Amino acid sequence: MLTFTHRTALVTGAGRGIGKAIAETLAKQGVTVICVSKSAESCGATAATIVAAGGKAKALAVDVADGAAIAKASEDLLKEFPTIDILVNNAGITRDGLLFRMSETDWNDVISTNLTSCFHWTKLIGRPMTRARWGRIVNLASVSGIMGNAGQANYSAAKAGMIGLTKTLAREFAGRSVTVNAVAPGFIKTDMTTEFVNNPEVSAKILEAVPLKRFGEAADIANITAYLCSEEAGYITGQVFSVDGGMAM
Ligand code: NAP
């Protein structure tokens, strides 16, 4: 067991995949989890699973690509929860394509959903955290943000941006005992990668670049994220943890 003393966490993209695994892992450790996703149905299902297992959770549908929606949601949440101690910026999308075929809409959608959302949530939820002089922020980056990936100019730019944001905010918040770290997954089996994982030719090609020769599980990412959010990880900040089967060695 990790140590969490009466902590509340907000996890974006908690409706499915990695975010769902993070929300459930934190809840098992006694953390109250605010599960955010785009659709009320998916975050509602995660919150219901947590509550059915004896945990504490609240579901909240927010489009994280909409800064005004984040501002309204944060204002309401901070009335209900005076401090939100843990923020996991996990919501993300891909809109892949080679640069010359990439539309400005696909560029902007990926940047606003994956990167600008972190700016908004951290500004709003991070302020009371710094006042409380305790906090944990974990940003879900990607191996694409470290190594680049042909066909993902928008996504790798967003993820590299999250890494820069992580390192800068780690420095800005360190004096208030708020840590900021990033986790950079490789290929993890979720809805985001089903198309590749279920195609034998494509998956064989991908696995050539993965030293451990298998895809990761959402739990692989949830476990390290929960650790980074715990009391035990209080001396770790500004770091990027690759969980990618050895891709970015
Ligand atoms: P996923 O299975 O596709 O789930 C994405 C989650 O994000 C869903 O709950 C979705 O909400 C939410 N979301 C998407 N757009 C949103 C928006 N505009 N507003 C609010 N919520 C939104 O993705 P995943 O594979 O778990 O990925 C989670 C994170 O890890 C992402 O940041 C991704 O870039 C990163 N990552 C994943 C992999 C991988 O291999 N899977 C690798 C590297 C990095 P709904 O449920 O309502 O649709």
Side-chain angles (χ1 to χ4, degrees):
M1 283 292 275
L2 297 165
T3 313
F4 292 94
T5 323
H6 308 297
R7 299 297 182 197
T8 300
L10 187 148
V11 181
T12 70
R16 290 181 282 126
I18 292 169
K20 183 175 198 286
I22 293 171
E24 291 178 359
T25 303
L26 288 172
K28 275 189 201 137
Q29 300 277 342
V31 175
T32 301
V33 186
I34 302 157
C35 303
V36 171
S37 73
K38 192 166 185 180
S39 87
E41 212 179 359
S42 79
C43 58
T46 302
T49 306
I50 290 173
V51 171
K56 286 169 275 174
K58 174 189 175 77
L60 193 65
V62 183
D63 179 356
V64 304
D66 178 349
I70 296 176
K72 174 76 179 80
S74 303
E75 193 187 324
D76 293 346
L77 281 172
L78 290 169
K79 282 181 199 148
E80 191 178 342
F81 302 91
T83 56
I84 295 172
D85 315 283
I86 298 165
L87 170 64
V88 181
N89 285 306
N90 163 81
I93 56 165
T94 51
R95 295 284 182 271
D96 296 352
L98 294 170
L99 183 77
F100 295 138
R101 290 192 211 137
M102 187 175 285
S103 69
E104 194 173 343
T105 305
D106 283 348
W107 173 269
N108 286 334
D109 285 353
V110 168
I111 300 292
S112 56
T113 304
N114 295 35
L115 177 60
T116 314
S117 60
C118 302
F119 163 78
H120 290 300
W121 282 116
T122 309
K123 228 178 139 175
L124 293 154
I125 304 294
R127 190 183 286 274
M129 241 184 229
T130 56
R131 280 200 205 107
R133 293 176 182 272
W134 195 96
R136 301 279 186 266
I137 299 172
V138 180
N139 295 322
L140 269 292
S142 167
V143 65
S144 297
I146 296 173
M147 298 173 70
N149 191 21
Q152 290 198 310
N154 48 4
Y155 185 76
S156 22
K159 296 302 187 182
M162 286 173 79
I163 291 171
L165 183 69
T166 298
K167 288 176 179 284
T168 293
L169 297 182
R171 291 181 187 280
E172 289 190 14
F173 297 169
R176 301 296 177 116
S177 299
V178 173
T179 66
V180 190
N181 290 290
V183 173
F187 283 91
I188 309 299
K189 286 190 270 177
T190 67
D191 291 351
M192 188 177 266
T193 53
T194 310
E195 196 184 323
F196 312 123
V197 172
N198 291 344
N199 180 323
E201 268 174 42
V202 178
S203 69
K205 186 103 187 96
I206 291 171
L207 292 178
E208 279 172 20
V210 182
L212 285 177
K213 297 296 170 211
R214 64 174 177 85
F215 294 104
E217 304 289 336
D220 294 323
I221 309 302
N223 290 335
I224 186 166
T225 303
Y227 172 70
L228 291 171
C229 294
S230 71
E231 204 67 58
E232 282 78 1
Y235 201 54
I236 304 170
T237 197
Q239 303 304 308
V240 184
F241 295 89
S242 289
V243 184
D244 61 5
M247 282 180 86
M249 259 191 255

